[in-house]
């Protein structure tokens, strides 16, 4: 985390929607709420995901991949992402 963003920022640590309710826009609504606050404060937002399908979702909200890696030599892949304030 400190490797990818050094300035003050919002760290979006956990965002999840129960699988029964996924695909209904709830995750986007939660994310928009936090992004509005970060934009108001003129702060970037940082997040990490281990789910490759989430990368495209976050990119639609303005996030850019900072780093793609793997935990250990055979562990799960991960992406770190950053979004500048709008």
């Amino acid at each position: 985390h400190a490797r990818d963003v050094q300035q003050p920022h919002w760290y979006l640590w956990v965002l999840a929607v129960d699988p029964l309710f996924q695909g209904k826009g709830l995750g986007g609504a939660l994310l928009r709420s936090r992004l509005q606050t970060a934009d108001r404060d003129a702060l970037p937002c940082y997040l990490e995901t281990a789910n490759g399908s989430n990368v495209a979702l976050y990119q639609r909200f303005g996030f850019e991949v900072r780093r793609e890696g793997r935990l250990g030599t055979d562990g799960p892949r991960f992406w770190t992402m950053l979004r500048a304030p709008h």
Side-chain angles (χ1 to χ4, degrees):
H1 170 177
R3 180 175 163 185
D4 293 318
V5 58
Q6 291 78 40
Q7 74 266 37
H9 61 282
W10 277 77
Y11 179 24
L12 305 180
W13 188 49
V14 176
L15 176 68
V17 175
D18 185 303
L20 291 174
F21 299 100
Q22 290 176 355
K24 301 178 188 304
L26 297 173
L30 290 169
L31 188 55
R32 267 190 293 286
S33 169
R34 295 302 86 214
L35 295 177
Q36 287 173 351
T37 302
D39 289 345
R40 182 197 66 216
D41 295 342
L43 290 173
C45 288
Y46 171 84
L47 60 81
E48 300 151 342
T49 185
N51 184 337
S53 64
N54 286 343
V55 172
L57 167 71
Y58 293 131
Q59 286 174 326
R60 286 195 299 271
F61 283 91
F63 284 86
E64 296 180 4
V65 173
R66 295 291 290 213
R67 189 164 42 103
E68 181 178 346
R70 187 173 295 280
L71 295 175
T73 57
D74 60 350
R77 290 174 62 192
F78 69 89
W79 295 260
T80 66
M81 303 184 77
L82 188 67
R83 177 188 177 271
H86 294 181

